[in-house]
Amino acid sequence: MNKRNVIIGGIVASLLGLVLGVNFYFMYYLSAEEGHLASVRALENMIRHKMRHLKPAYLNRNPRFFMFRNKLLKNYKAAPYENASVLWDIANWWPQENEVYPMYDSSMGQLLETLRREPITRVSNLARGTQLKLLVRLSQQQKVIFKPQWYPRDEVIEGVVYSGKDRHTAEVYAFYLGAVLDLRWTPIVVGRVVNLKREIYANGDPELQHTINIETDEDGRERYCLYGKCHYCNEEETVCGDERHNIEGVLIYIVPGTLAKRRSPWQRTYKDDKRAPWEDDMTYCKSLKNKMETIRLLDLIDVAIFDYLIQNGDRHHYETREERVVLIDNGKAFGNPNKDHLDILAPLYQCCLLRKSTWDRLQVFSGGVLTEIVDRLSKQDALYPLITDKHKKGIERRLLVVYAVVEHCMDIEGEKMFKTL
Ligand SMILES: Nc1ncnc2c1ncn2[C@@H]1O[C@H](COP(=O)(O)OP(=O)(O)OP(=O)(O)O)[C@@H](O)[C@H]1O
Ligand SMILES: [Mn+2]
């Protein structure tokens, strides 16, 4: 079939579809093209069709939201604290399986303040992973991970989904989004402006100090620039302090316990010319369902929804704590607000399975309130606003896509797609 015929055929099919209210795109592409392109496009068109016919409940505010809002606002409200070490103890006892902190706990507001205010006592490079990060000690030897700012909030990262360096505020956003969606599997994270000279360099070990360049300009003004020690670290790519030596970054609470790293079944190839099996095979989940415990699969589907909302397409490995998935490393989100990488949702649309509790929770935050509540919660963060309005719009748009994909799955599987594991 030549290209012109394909186009005419497509138009005819879609017009027929419009008249009859059936998705002819779907059937049309299946017959006109072969292989993966057909099924991927068919799916996209199916989702587009579903989006046009979303029930008002998905577009409007859910009255149940107000109850959740009040409880969340109360729980995460910054609160004064007296003894940091008591709070470290409390937080270090919180994790249970993959839940890093409890749903509601009066210590949360205090813990957040502790992370924001406790003095930095020692700093070293942390050469784990591939991106620049520091191991920071606060009072009482409490260790936290520091990731610095690389980009302004409005920088658009072009290219493939995993392009660029970490977006520091994505880690804070992920924490609040996890709290709202009751996927309390992320570390606890706060934004913090730190002084590269007085807090980092002055408390750094000699190795760290060697990875900070100090330049003096003609007027005798010093400039501190950190390049660190990591797989991708090099002297040409630095984080530099402003005129007062301040830099933005995030402090990530270290999840206590043992984490195990596992390859994601939906891992990308990270090569432009090579596709992963899951990218071309819409029945990919079938074999996984036999190989993997359902609870793990359900965890990974929750992760897919979470990652799709924030556009993190870099979860090549996932980590588990007591055999349940934790959401460690959310720095590669919010790259391009104008682009939605639907394939991050592959675990959901290929498996058509979803935890009932996740589905219920997602529906509480319909009608534009998801980004509204995360915004309200994060107002107390030093780095507020964490993301631009364009990114917020992106999240709301993608939430509708999630609703549409679930509707599509319900057409195929019915209520049995929802699991209570
Ligand atoms: N909050 C945390 N609690 C416990 N361990 C952590 C935490 N953050 C990171 N780690 C550990 O450090 C490792 C590296 O962290 P992270 O994945 O954030 O780095 P990265 O440089 O982005 O890695 P990659 O390049 O693989 O994406 C993680 O795999 C995890 O084992
Ligand atoms: Mn990473």
Side-chain angles (χ1 to χ4, degrees):
M1 204 185 284
N2 70 32
K3 209 172 165 191
R4 208 176 112 231
N5 285 345
V6 170
I7 294 167
I8 294 171
I11 294 169
V12 170
S14 57
L15 282 176
L16 254 174
L18 267 179
V19 172
L20 299 174
V22 193
N23 200 319
F24 268 94
Y25 258 136
F26 180 67
M27 292 188 279
Y28 172 73
Y29 275 110
L30 275 187
S31 59
E33 289 182 52
E34 303 169 337
H36 73 268
L37 252 181
S39 52
V40 172
R41 259 196 229 159
L43 181 91
E44 281 177 4
N45 287 316
M46 182 62 89
I47 292 167
R48 237 171 252 142
H49 175 82
K50 283 275 171 218
M51 295 263 298
R52 282 197 300 269
H53 298 89
L54 275 181
K55 283 181 268 188
Y58 295 128
L59 305 171
N60 300 332
R61 287 178 183 226
N62 185 332
R64 287 204 297 147
F65 161 68
F66 297 98
M67 185 189 76
F68 286 92
R69 182 189 65 182
N70 294 343
K71 283 191 181 171
L72 285 164
L73 285 173
K74 188 168 169 229
N75 193 61
Y76 292 90
K77 191 173 156 31
Y81 66 93
E82 276 170 23
N83 189 335
S85 110
V86 171
L87 288 158
W88 303 143
D89 284 344
I90 291 172
N92 286 330
W93 277 102
W94 271 343
Q96 276 190 22
E97 297 187 329
N98 62 338
E99 292 194 352
V100 178
Y101 51 93
M103 176 116 67
Y104 301 114
D105 191 301
S106 59
S107 301
M108 180 53 98
Q110 294 183 308
L111 178 74
L112 292 171
E113 276 301 283
T114 315
L115 286 167
R116 293 182 186 122
R117 293 179 193 279
E118 281 303 292
I120 291 171
T121 57
R122 273 169 72 186
V123 193
S124 53
N125 277 312
L126 181 61
R128 273 171 94 174
T130 63
Q131 304 258 320
L132 172 55
K133 60 184 82 59
L134 304 176
L135 184 67
V136 168
R137 254 171 256 219
L138 302 174
S139 59
Q140 267 78 39
Q141 304 291 329
Q142 179 61 48
K143 289 180 192 165
V144 293
I145 294 172
F146 176 84
K147 290 189 179 181
Q149 171 174 31
W150 288 99
Y151 305 107
R153 307 278 190 284
D154 59 357
E155 177 129 352
V156 176
I157 314 291
E158 302 288 353
V160 287
V161 66
Y162 47 82
S163 300
K165 296 179 178 296
D166 280 334
R167 276 70 77 169
H168 65 314
T169 53
E171 296 278 6
V172 191
Y173 202 95
F175 163 60
Y176 286 110
L177 185 66
V180 169
L181 294 181
D182 203 21
L183 300 173
R184 290 170 283 107
W185 315 347
T186 75
I188 299 160
V189 187
V190 301
R192 191 157 158 171
V193 176
V194 302
N195 194 281
L196 193 49
K197 180 179 179 177
R198 287 189 301 277
E199 292 182 284
I200 305 288
Y201 186 87
N203 293 308
D205 59 18
E207 191 214 61
L208 170 69
Q209 290 181 337
H210 274 121
T211 63
I212 296 176
N213 289 329
I214 308 168
E215 285 161 28
T216 314
D217 66 14
E218 312 88 77
D219 304 324
R221 270 192 300 258
E222 285 180 323
R223 193 170 163 81
Y224 280 69
C225 293
L226 162 72
Y227 61 90
K229 191 182 169 202
C230 67
H231 183 76
Y232 287 130
C233 290
N234 66 79
E235 261 192 85
E236 267 64 62
E237 292 181 286
T238 56
V239 173
C240 297
D242 63 12
E243 61 283 0
R244 294 151 137 187
H245 310 298
N246 283 333
I247 58 170
E248 269 188 19
V250 294
L251 291 189
I252 305 173
Y253 204 72
I254 293 178
V255 177
T258 312
L259 302 182
K261 203 170 198 158
R262 294 198 165 82
R263 201 184 75 82
S264 167
W266 284 275
Q267 189 178 53
R268 295 169 194 276
T269 62
Y270 292 83
K271 292 186 187 98
D272 292 344
D273 56 350
K274 198 163 176 266
R275 290 171 66 84
W278 64 269
E279 291 182 274
D280 292 337
D281 179 6
M282 282 298 152
T283 65
Y284 181 75
C285 190
K286 229 183 195 158
S287 58
L288 273 181
K289 281 179 178 169
N290 301 323
K291 276 192 290 197
M292 198 176 248
E293 301 249 25
T294 308
I295 190 163
R296 174 64 49 81
L297 208 47
L298 290 170
D299 280 0
L300 292 179
I301 291 164
D302 284 351
V303 169
I305 292 173
F306 184 85
D307 282 341
Y308 179 67
L309 292 174
I310 63 174
Q311 289 290 287
N312 172 22
D314 197 28
R315 210 170 291 281
H316 41 84
H317 289 78
Y318 63 90
E319 285 173 76
T320 56
R321 186 182 185 282
E322 296 176 13
E323 291 302 321
R324 296 290 308 278
V325 178
V326 278
L327 287 161
I328 301 282
D329 190 11
N330 305 302
K332 287 290 198 74
F334 304 120
N336 185 343
N338 310 312
K339 220 164 167 179
D340 298 349
H341 297 270
L342 184 65
D343 62 357
I344 303 175
L345 265 189
L348 176 63
Y349 59 69
Q350 290 181 349
C351 299
C352 277
L353 279 182
L354 182 56
R355 198 168 263 135
K356 178 83 171 67
S357 55
T358 306
W359 180 230
D360 289 345
R361 192 82 175 187
L362 283 167
Q363 292 172 90
V364 170
F365 299 95
S366 60
V369 301
L370 182 59
T371 52
E372 201 179 286
I373 182 70
V374 175
D375 197 77
R376 285 276 296 269
L377 291 171
S378 61
K379 268 209 170 106
Q380 50 181 339
D381 196 86
L383 305 187
Y384 177 86
L386 302 174
I387 58 172
T388 61
D389 287 347
K390 271 196 174 167
H391 281 298
K392 288 176 206 165
K393 281 216 181 79
I395 294 172
E396 294 296 346
R397 182 177 67 230
R398 288 173 217 126
L399 180 60
L400 296 181
V401 174
V402 173
Y403 292 146
V405 170
V406 174
E407 282 284 332
H408 159 72
C409 282
M410 277 198 272
D411 287 352
I412 302 168
E413 296 289 324
E415 286 292 319
K416 76 173 195 293
M417 71 168 286
F418 300 113
K419 305 287 176 200
T420 49
L421 266 176

